[in-house]
Amino acid sequence: MTELTLESLIDDGNYLGSERARLENKAILDELERKKKARSMAVPTDDNRVKARLRELGEPITLFGERQADRRDRLIYVLSQITAARGDEIQMEEESEEESADEEEFYTPGSLELLEARRHLAEYSLPRAQKRVAQQQITSKLPLGRIIDLRKKIFAEVKRFSNLGSQIGDERPISQVRFSPNSKFLATGSWSGTIKIWNVPACTTSRVLRSHGDRVGGVAWHPQATLTQGEGLVNLASGAGDKNVNLWSLNSDAPLSVLKGHADRVCRVAFHPSGNYVASASFDTTWRLWDVTTSTELLLQEGHSKEVYSVEFQDDGSLVASGGLDAIGRVWDLRTGRTAMVLDGHVQAIFGIAFSPNGYQIATGAGDDTIRIWDIRSLKALYTIPAHVSNVSDVRFFRGDYLPPMSTARGNGDVAMNGMDEDVDTSHDTQEEQTLDEWRYRSGLYFASSGYDGFVKLWSADDWQLLRTLTTDSGKVMSVDLSNDGRLLASGTYNRNFQLFAPEEVTV
């Protein structure tokens, strides 16, 4: 398979050459036009009148789990379908000049550095997306029996997670916890402005980083930190209430660089998968993109009406998602600067946001106590999980980015999922292939959430069902993370502790 590059990504001039392609294109354009007109259709806003109108049309007045806003959207869809079938003009709502002005699209000038960065992001993300899709096609061809066996085995291990220990992490609440890429260290940020790096699971301090003058809102590891990245280079990023984003090495107590520009408190920070860029979310209602090499601001992105709390990159590197206290999430295309999707459905602030490793699903956790699952392909919410009884503070998918050693991958009493009794003469190649299959399938198969109800919960990412509920020693869990080797889960709490969890009977 030829690797996809920016140069090879050209428009196919013969796409509209066939009659079938023209008809398909016309159908798509007609549907887009219908949706555009439907958004401006005059329909009742009173829920009782909406139900009455649905009854007149012979439609169910309510569906299971349907909210008032969803019911009104359904009425709009039904009316637009009926009107389109009749060939009538859709009655439009009158728009004031002020409303039209509010919806007017505007542009801001960008630098040459941003243009070059966008080109680099496209060149980086296209082959990664191509490889991801190719791997998903291979995984989709796995036999059903094999998938059932893998799912049972992985979920059985997830359901065995239990408390491994608790450690006082700081003198003030722990705002965020993040495992290093090699799963041997845990970074914690606290309201005291201190960042600590811990050896896990021993829970001994490896390094203490003090530079921020206010509470730390977010910490993030460089994608290659503790793997191929040198200790003297940028390995860690942090954002804090002093409006700064700090870049850290692992062999110095002073930051390598301090990124200044935000006008208010910085909350979450995230590294781009390439490691060349850092994104930061701030209470100044913007998120910003920084160049790690030059320590300069590349992009100041507006789009939220209130404070921006969370930010996260897609694994391909082409998209970034932001969540704000305006209860709105937005997915941005880094290659063009355009909004790819608006995540509109929560009724309270979004505190946690995470891309699934599959590249097209997003999980958001909010102050309305729910987790919503969104699909970028269909541009809508797939599922709403009533996750916690208080704020959902963090959401993290499991990522099997780095395969564990083959010699230990099938230890600890695991059974071979090959449809037969384990044979001591099974070839080493077959064992490795089974381990690779399991690890590829495991990545993105479950995720963890934390809430202000004092619980950490593990969920399946295919049917969105609860797998395991873990109790902590605090009323508020501020953050959660899963290690890349699948052996540890960490939570940071309001009572200054962080806790480690691991599957029972698994050596860590």
Side-chain angles (χ1 to χ4, degrees):
M1 180 175 61
T2 304
E3 184 174 281
L4 186 63
T5 64
L6 191 59
E7 287 72 20
S8 63
L9 187 68
I10 58 175
D11 293 330
D12 185 359
N14 296 322
Y15 171 70
L16 296 178
S18 66
E19 182 64 23
R20 178 181 176 184
R22 279 195 294 269
L23 291 175
E24 290 177 351
N25 190 52
K26 184 177 183 301
I28 293 172
L29 291 176
D30 290 344
E31 179 66 12
L32 289 174
E33 184 66 21
R34 185 196 64 77
K35 290 181 178 180
K36 180 180 178 181
K37 292 180 178 179
R39 286 195 293 269
S40 301
M41 180 177 289
V43 296
T45 56
D46 180 72
D47 190 51
N48 290 326
R49 293 178 61 191
V50 170
K51 290 180 179 178
R53 189 75 178 99
L54 285 169
R55 185 180 286 111
E56 291 175 7
L57 298 171
E59 295 288 328
I61 63 172
T62 187
L63 300 177
F64 179 75
E66 188 176 55
R67 301 181 306 162
Q68 294 183 9
D70 299 330
R71 189 155 40 246
R72 185 172 184 269
D73 290 340
R74 183 161 60 90
L75 175 59
I76 292 174
Y77 176 77
V78 171
L79 287 174
S80 66
Q81 291 284 68
I82 293 174
T83 306
R86 291 176 179 172
D88 300 335
E89 287 294 324
I90 295 179
Q91 182 184 355
M92 301 292 181
E93 294 179 340
E94 294 184 0
E95 296 184 353
S96 65
E97 293 183 3
E98 292 183 0
E99 289 175 336
S100 298
D102 290 341
E103 295 177 0
E104 183 179 353
E105 193 172 23
F106 66 94
Y107 297 89
T108 55
S111 63
L112 291 176
E113 290 79 9
L114 176 59
L115 179 62
E116 186 60 31
R118 291 200 191 283
R119 183 178 180 84
H120 175 264
L121 290 164
E123 292 173 342
Y124 178 84
S125 62
L126 285 172
R128 286 174 64 91
Q130 183 185 29
K131 292 175 183 177
R132 171 178 57 81
V133 172
Q135 181 57 50
Q136 288 172 342
Q137 290 174 343
I138 294 173
T139 304
S140 68
K141 295 177 182 178
L142 286 175
L144 180 59
R146 174 71 172 149
I147 291 176
I148 293 173
D149 285 344
L150 287 173
R151 194 173 183 274
K152 285 182 179 179
K153 177 185 177 183
I154 294 168
F155 284 167
E157 183 177 319
V158 172
K159 290 177 181 179
R160 294 201 304 268
F161 266 91
S162 61
N163 198 329
L164 188 64
S166 178
Q167 172 69 39
I168 296 178
D170 202 82
E171 58 190 23
R172 298 204 65 194
I174 303 296
S175 54
Q176 196 169 36
V177 294
R178 289 293 181 260
F179 281 106
S180 63
N182 70 354
S183 304
K184 296 181 180 180
F185 300 96
L186 180 73
T188 61
S190 81
W191 284 10
S192 69
T194 303
I195 300 157
K196 294 184 180 180
I197 300 175
W198 304 81
N199 298 296
V200 289
C203 293
T204 57
T205 306
S206 173
R207 187 168 292 277
V208 179
L209 307 174
R210 295 185 178 92
S211 177
H212 288 293
D214 203 341
R215 65 180 64 181
V216 173
V219 293
W221 289 92
H222 187 286
Q224 295 299 318
T226 68
L227 296 173
T228 60
Q229 186 82 339
E231 289 191 358
L233 302 176
V234 174
N235 279 263
L236 193 71
S238 62
D242 57 8
K243 310 175 188 177
N244 295 336
V245 177
N246 288 2
L247 303 180
W248 305 87
S249 67
L250 295 182
N251 58 8
S252 175
D253 295 335
L256 293 177
S257 181
V258 178
L259 310 180
K260 299 178 180 289
H262 281 293
D264 208 333
R265 166 188 168 191
V266 178
C267 297
R268 302 307 196 213
V269 294
F271 264 101
H272 186 266
S274 68
N276 295 326
Y277 309 99
V278 168
S280 57
S282 171
F283 271 34
D284 61 9
T285 71
T286 71
W287 67 267
R288 307 193 186 205
L289 186 69
W290 310 84
D291 189 309
V292 172
T293 305
T294 62
S295 299
T296 57
E297 178 187 303
L298 292 174
L299 174 65
L300 183 156
Q301 183 64 64
E302 299 173 310
H304 290 270
S305 60
K306 289 186 178 180
E307 296 88 342
V308 184
Y309 193 87
S310 54
V311 65
E312 190 71 26
F313 287 101
Q314 182 208 36
D315 287 2
D316 293 345
S318 60
L319 303 176
V320 62
S322 60
L325 302 192
D326 54 3
I328 298 293
R330 287 184 178 272
V331 182
W332 308 86
D333 190 333
L334 289 168
R335 301 162 297 185
T336 64
R338 295 177 179 272
T339 300
M341 182 178 179
V342 178
L343 313 179
D344 186 5
H346 287 291
V347 295
Q348 294 290 337
I350 295 177
F351 297 123
I353 195 163
F355 274 97
S356 169
N358 64 26
Y360 55 83
Q361 289 178 337
I362 304 172
T364 54
D368 57 12
D369 312 338
T370 67
I371 296 172
R372 282 186 171 246
I373 308 298
W374 310 82
D375 194 311
I376 301 175
R377 302 169 301 178
S378 60
L379 299 179
K380 65 181 182 180
L382 287 179
Y383 202 83
T384 301
I385 305 173
H388 295 265
V389 296
S390 190
N391 297 346
V392 180
S393 57
D394 204 1
V395 183
R396 297 291 286 178
F397 280 91
F398 169 73
R399 281 175 163 76
D401 296 334
Y402 307 100
L403 191 66
M406 293 295 179
S407 59
T408 61
R410 282 186 53 197
N412 311 306
D414 289 343
V415 295
M417 294 298 169
N418 53 11
M420 61 185 74
D421 295 336
E422 183 169 350
D423 186 354
V424 294
D425 295 325
T426 300
S427 68
H428 185 67
D429 290 343
T430 303
Q431 178 179 334
E432 287 193 2
E433 186 60 35
Q434 290 176 351
T435 302
L436 286 170
D437 282 348
E438 176 187 335
W439 208 250
R440 292 185 187 118
Y441 189 75
R442 177 191 289 260
S443 184
L445 188 60
Y446 60 93
F447 68 94
S449 67
S450 58
Y452 275 21
D453 54 3
F455 292 108
V456 170
K457 297 185 178 182
L458 289 159
W459 309 85
S460 67
D462 52 5
D463 59 4
W464 319 113
Q465 299 302 304
L466 180 65
L467 297 176
R468 181 73 164 159
T469 299
L470 303 169
T471 58
T472 65
D473 55 7
S474 174
K476 296 179 181 179
V477 185
M478 312 285 283
S479 180
V480 68
D481 196 23
L482 291 158
S483 64
N484 285 338
D485 61 6
R487 297 175 181 271
L488 290 172
L489 181 150
S491 66
T493 63
Y494 187 79
N495 71 346
R496 307 169 298 155
N497 289 359
F498 70 87
Q499 290 183 268
L500 293 180
F501 303 86
E504 296 174 354
E505 302 175 1
V506 173
T507 305
V508 294

